[in-house]
Amino acid sequence: MKKLSRLVLASNNQGKIEEFQPLLAPLGIELISQAALGIESVEETGLSFIENALIKARHACAHSGLPTLADDSGLSVAALNGAPGIYSARIAGSNATDDEKVQALLQQMQSVDREQRQGCYHCAIVLMQHPLDPIPLIAEGRLEGTVLEEPCGTSGFGFDPVFYLPAQKCTVAQLSLLEKNKISHRALAVAKLLNHLTP
């Protein structure tokens, strides 16, 4: 893969943008959000995190003419048979706030015992050179934890306030961005991706 100087991030999620920038900083890559280029989000019709990431990457790549990075991520809860999974961002409707998404998750889990609230954050990342790229780079990351019965912490986004990490003894929302970017599912996926980009 040729050396990259600019990448479009196929997301309008400000939280993701803030997390990706420092993760890619070591390579000196300028990250541009698709929103900054006036590119609207595409419908996510895939049946897996990888499929959705590919759809988003191809869409933004076609509209920008630039290499594009896309991720699809979400929370899978064993007691909910893997839900909300790829529907994490839409658990409370297409325009729901993070607080509404958290409350929708807690509502679905209100009858789940504390010992059965294990979950896993998943992240699939795709890097595409052009819209017809036949060999896009794909990397995945996972972060295990449990879902609390009420929010705790104010950092991060999504389900971070209720996703508890036993090893850190806190929720993801209680971590600083620097701490989160050392252990998160997204950070682990980016680290694998960087192994392909580093000469």
Side-chain angles (χ1 to χ4, degrees):
M1 178 169 282
K2 65 181 182 181
K3 182 175 175 57
L4 299 170
S5 59
R6 303 175 77 202
L7 267 181
V8 173
L9 178 62
S11 176
N12 295 326
N13 184 319
Q14 188 59 35
K16 286 187 179 184
I17 295 167
E18 291 174 358
E19 286 187 18
F20 270 115
Q21 285 177 330
L23 290 172
L24 295 171
L27 294 184
I29 296 174
E30 179 189 0
L31 194 63
I32 310 162
S33 74
Q34 66 177 18
L37 300 176
I39 301 171
E40 295 185 1
S41 297
V42 65
E43 185 179 0
E44 298 172 27
T45 57
L47 298 178
S48 70
F49 292 111
I50 290 177
E51 286 181 18
N52 280 336
L54 284 165
I55 289 169
K56 290 190 279 190
R58 187 168 287 114
H59 171 79
C61 200
H63 284 79
S64 68
L66 294 169
T68 299
L69 180 72
D71 97 311
D72 195 53
S73 51
L75 175 65
S76 295
V77 179
L80 299 179
N81 296 317
I86 60 172
Y87 304 106
S88 292
R90 292 162 278 173
I91 188 173
S94 58
N95 296 312
T97 66
D98 282 351
D99 286 343
E100 289 169 337
K101 294 172 190 175
V102 167
Q103 290 306 315
L105 175 65
L106 296 183
Q107 179 70 23
Q108 291 183 19
M109 296 187 67
Q110 62 180 347
S111 62
V112 179
D113 293 338
R114 187 170 297 179
E115 295 76 20
Q116 304 297 321
R117 299 175 74 90
Q118 294 85 5
C120 180
Y121 264 149
H122 296 265
C123 175
I125 291 180
V126 168
L127 178 57
M128 195 170 283
Q129 291 274 12
H130 55 82
L132 300 179
D133 191 343
I135 48 171
L137 293 180
I138 300 173
E140 296 182 88
R142 296 163 53 97
L143 180 63
E144 305 280 348
T146 60
V147 179
L148 297 183
E149 295 169 329
E150 58 183 40
C152 187
T154 57
S155 298
F157 63 97
F159 301 114
D160 288 356
V162 291
F163 196 64
Y164 182 80
L165 306 175
Q168 283 69 32
K169 298 181 179 178
C170 67
T171 66
V172 178
Q174 291 174 294
L175 298 173
S176 68
L177 179 57
L178 182 62
E179 292 170 325
K180 183 179 181 180
N181 273 352
K182 291 179 180 178
I183 64 170
S184 76
H185 52 309
R186 192 164 290 111
L188 296 174
V190 170
K192 293 177 183 177
L193 192 72
L194 292 183
N195 287 336
H196 295 288
L197 297 178
T198 304

